[in-house]
Amino acid sequence: AQSVTQPDIHITVSEGASLELRCNYSYGATPYLFWYVQSPGQGLQLLLKYFSGDTLVQGIKGFEAEFKRSQSSFNLRKPSVHWSDAAEYFCAVAPNDYKLSFGAGTTVTVRA
Amino acid sequence: GAVVSQHPSWVICKSGTSVKIECRSLDFQATTMFWYRQFPKQSLMLMATSNEGSKATYEQGVEKDKFLINHASLTLSTLTVTSAHPEDSSFYICSASRRTSQSREQYFGPGTRLTVT
């Protein structure tokens, strides 16, 4: 069975600093990969997704993610964090069907 | 585009009663809808997958007689929590998907907070 691991439960960054959120998956083939963001009381918003092709994917809100097959990773990055980026971030994978498996999530706190 | 709504956004009910939550795709036809449950500070757990016009497929450990799912049209799915108990209190989130050959993207609703007293 596939699994998704987000090693960092909570990350605190200063506004303007860079951010990297880690995501590792366990699956026999390359699944479809996603990053979602959830603000308090809100639904999930898709930041970016990877299906195939260029392994560096650009998303909304200045986020990008890099797929590394050799490491089974799909880490999310942002060069300069804004206070509005404080939220819960979920990595998700979808293997052969349309079901998403989510990681446990990483809470991002932004300090002034 | 691709907006999904849920109603109600928040509901309190007494133990033993039933609660219905609606999930609507507002600007597209959703051939597949998904229902998730999220506990505080935890991830989303898939409860069931429903395709329009057919019975829902429940994940292992989810009681299908307790969580009734109906997907009667391409824009509406409902989740009914029957004989609710305090342990059913949770955040329920739906999502909708357009089946295309290129995308497995799901569009999520804002969620429904259920509190059973």
Side-chain angles (χ1 to χ4, degrees):
Chain A
Q2 69 276 5
S3 66
V4 184
T5 303
Q6 292 181 246
D8 304 304
I9 297 174
H10 191 184
I11 287 180
T12 299
V13 293
S14 298
E15 191 168 16
S18 64
L19 173 69
E20 181 168 17
L21 303 181
R22 295 182 291 166
C23 174
N24 293 94
Y25 65 90
S26 173
Y27 185 62
T30 300
Y32 287 31
L33 299 158
F34 305 82
W35 274 101
Y36 287 90
V37 60
Q38 184 181 34
S39 298
Q42 302 291 316
L44 274 72
Q45 182 181 22
L46 179 68
L47 289 175
L48 46 78
K49 57 192 176 188
Y50 173 78
F51 295 157
S52 64
D54 192 348
T55 56
L56 185 62
V57 181
Q58 300 298 318
I60 63 171
K61 303 185 178 184
F63 285 92
E64 66 177 26
E66 185 172 13
F67 167 63
K68 292 186 177 180
R69 185 189 307 275
S70 61
Q71 299 178 18
S72 296
S73 68
F74 189 55
N75 294 347
L76 181 72
R77 297 192 294 255
K78 185 168 184 177
S80 178
V81 170
H82 187 261
W83 64 266
S84 60
D85 293 322
E88 187 81 13
Y89 291 80
F90 293 97
C91 179
V93 303
N96 292 327
D97 54 28
Y98 290 79
K99 296 182 183 179
L100 286 175
S101 291
F102 285 87
T106 299
T107 302
V108 173
T109 299
V110 180
R111 60 183 173 218
Chain B
V3 178
V4 176
S5 69
Q6 279 185 243
H7 178 80
S9 56
W10 180 57
V11 57
I12 299 175
C13 71
K14 292 185 177 181
S15 185
T17 62
S18 296
V19 175
K20 179 184 285 188
I21 301 170
E22 292 185 349
C23 176
R24 293 181 184 273
S25 58
L26 299 184
D27 52 4
F28 68 99
Q29 293 186 326
T31 49
T32 304
M33 286 185 169
F34 304 84
W35 286 95
Y36 296 85
R37 185 172 181 177
Q38 184 180 31
F39 291 102
K41 303 295 184 182
Q42 294 189 28
S43 187
L44 283 75
M45 299 300 296
L46 179 65
M47 299 174 65
T49 303
S50 73
N51 292 297
E52 185 264 340
S54 61
K55 291 184 177 180
T57 302
Y58 291 81
E59 294 301 299
Q60 190 173 8
V62 177
E63 300 176 60
K64 59 183 178 182
D65 294 331
K66 181 168 190 61
F67 298 100
L68 300 179
I69 292 172
N70 183 273
H71 192 165
S73 77
L74 285 171
T75 59
L76 174 65
S77 177
T78 60
L79 168 68
T80 301
V81 183
T82 62
S83 187
H85 292 282
E87 57 266 28
D88 298 324
S89 298
S90 190
F91 195 52
Y92 292 88
I93 302 173
C94 75
S95 70
S97 177
R98 291 180 282 207
R99 276 187 184 264
T100 69
S101 61
Q102 295 297 317
S103 174
R104 286 174 167 75
E105 184 170 349
Q106 295 180 23
Y107 305 95
F108 286 82
T112 297
R113 175 79 57 196
L114 170 63
T115 301
V116 184
T117 60

